[in-house]
Amino acid sequence: MSEESSPLSCDNPLPTDVVALLPMRNLVLFPHVLAPVALGRPKSVAALQHAAACEAPVVLVLQKDAQEDDPGLSGLCSVGTLATVLQHKLADDGQAHAVCQGLQRIRIVELVEGYPFLAARIERLVDTGEHSTEAEAMAIQLRERGTEILSLLPGVPAELAHLLQGTRSPSELVDLAASLLDSDLSEKQALLETLSIEERLGSVLKIVSHRLEVLRLSREIGARTKEQLDDRQRRILLEEQLRTIKKALGENGEGAREMASLGEAITAAHMPPEVDAHVRKELQRLERMHDAAGEASTLRTWIEWMTEMPWAEPGERVIDLAAARQTLEDEHFGLARAKQRIVEYLAVKKLNPQGRAPILCFVGPPGVGKTSLGQSVARAIGRPFVRVSLGGVHDEAELRGHRRTYVGAMPGNIVQGLRKAGARDGVMMLDEIDKMSASLHGDPYAALLEVLDPEQNSTFRDNYLGVPFDLSRVLFIATANVIDHLPSPVRDRMEVIELPGYTLEDKLQIAQRYLLGRQLQACGLRADQCELTEAALHAMATGYTREAGVRQFEREIGRVMRAAALRVAEGSATHVRVDVADLEALLGPPTVEHDVALRSSLAGVATGLAWTPAGGDILFIEATQVAGSGRLILTGQLGDVMKESAQAALTLVKSRASGLGLPSAVFDHVDVHIHVPAGAIPKDGPSAGVAMFIALASLFSDRPVRHDLAMTGEISLRGLVLPVGGIKEKVLAAQRAGLREVMLPARNRKDLHDVPESTRQALHFTWLETVDDAIGAALGVRALAQEGDFKLV
């Protein structure tokens, strides 16, 4: 919150009978009363700033409907309070906070237009019957009863009682008492609209008298309840003595058998010595505790949790590297790097069984097999698998647990997963680790640091258990779609393994090896009852899906299988063969148009390549010029980085005006508009510079860009093409879109190693050192910067 510093200037003072209005949702301010006010609506903030600048009063008036954001005259109560602003502050989020003191009742005559805030012509109202004898008598009664109420309420400051006793004016006294009442807003507004002092005193006195009777009765009930509690405590003590006597006489009963059962469970849990001693001490305390005590059930539940945790040292597991490798190959196609890293971990584990387990993080688009790969790892090494979903977690206690002192306390998700797995050396998948967020309840990423650090997780401490637990033998596998926004300490504790999107050939192989069989089983079909040709699978992958993974592809296969299951179940067919010609009848017309080669070449349009959390994609950059004054207009929900790329691209085009055969004055009388379609989707990133530059160069030189060409790369003001990320995903997107040539930064040549060989053979790559290389490849000309045209300093 920013403190008020320099005084505001009053540029447009209001007429004497016109006052700024502050509509209140849940506040009725009375004259002679101080009250804090919080304002969030722009009109209200503007009214407050104007009043503070002009040192003018404001009117606080209750609005009839608290949900209405912009009330008019009909939406406001007719009577409000004229107030002066004593203090005000403006917060960084645009909200304003002020302290106002009521001055006088007013009535709103009419609203006055022409101001950036609500303003109204007002009529000042005068109280009646202030000095009557009856008013003074009722004021004395109100002061006495109000003082008694304050004495019955706990924690009331003594200054409030002194203020009530020191207020002598009946008008001020009744307004002060009305502001302290816990009545609803309509009742307080009715008191504000009452001008007769006697009538107002009578109404407030009636409410105060009722509250006083309620408080007196509450005190009597509290005293009786305390006597009953004393009797109950005495009864509990006697029952405890009776239980001790029965135990001495050998009459143990059900409770003793339960305690003995818990003691045996503690022995069978094989806890570490210090933990065992602590749990047995708590068990002794439970034995001395009465069953009806509130802490007894909480303590019993805690002991049960402690006995069910996998404390015992895990036995030696025989690791068969060949069998593990074969399991990974049988269940997953591709993903060579991830499989190799897992086999390397198993080899190290075989040679050093007591070594610390690494923290692996699979990063990739949805549907590429991150979660299923973790399950395969558990099957390959013969360990229990447990999945902990972190999507939407915003409370630190969900990972670290609640303290036992809280009602309904439970262990965190990590401990719950270990209990479910039943082993200390299982495979725990922390799914969707990038979907967590901090909140008022703490930062879950901070709590996750102890779990993910191999140097610390041997002494992980859950708040509910209250004792250290060794997590060093657990194989943690995290999954995420994007890790750019993860805190750097969290990323530093994990070994990131990227799982990029699949090529078309990969998808067809996955469909034939895994998806078809899985969907046949899900639909209750045999292999001889339904057949999908390879051409049909190819058409489904290209015409009905646009994804890096195979999740939507499997859904489309499932739709075809269900249609075949219907025909088989009805008896109309015993064998259903689905080919390309049958897809439109089953799935409808193709929903995805990948082949941008059918697009005609247009001047001012370039095809860029983008990286998204769902994989790579193509991105069209459109540029046009209209008569104007040299402005640059950007649309399409572009982020700050893309806006800066557009500015740099326009500057570079100007610097190469002569090389493109353009007069330097051509930019002075036109406005350049750059638009990126799909305007409802926010776009940002440092890889659109080359595409924007080529689109502008094509526009001004009136040379169309080849329609089968895509490009990516960032530019500098010196004309250099800078390297970018996500090369593999972008190249795969270009292949899916039917493009033939891709222009990439020359410094990204090393990243082509990750691109599948089939994709490298299908595309032609042009390597860019400078933007002049891009112009030559995209437009067929060579533009050089001329010293006389544009000088960079």
Side-chain angles (χ1 to χ4, degrees), residues 414-467:
I414 303 299
V415 168
Q416 293 185 38
L418 288 172
R419 180 193 183 189
K420 181 180 179 181
R424 275 176 50 190
D425 60 346
V427 177
M428 180 174 290
M429 172 155 286
L430 305 177
D431 214 4
E432 307 291 354
I433 194 174
D434 57 331
K435 304 301 188 300
M436 296 193 300
S437 60
S439 68
L440 296 176
H441 302 288
D443 187 356
Y445 284 114
L448 199 61
L449 290 178
E450 186 179 356
V451 178
L452 298 181
D453 195 339
E455 301 298 327
Q456 300 182 40
N457 61 13
S458 59
T459 57
F460 173 73
R461 193 179 187 90
D462 185 89
N463 289 331
Y464 182 80
L465 299 185
V467 294

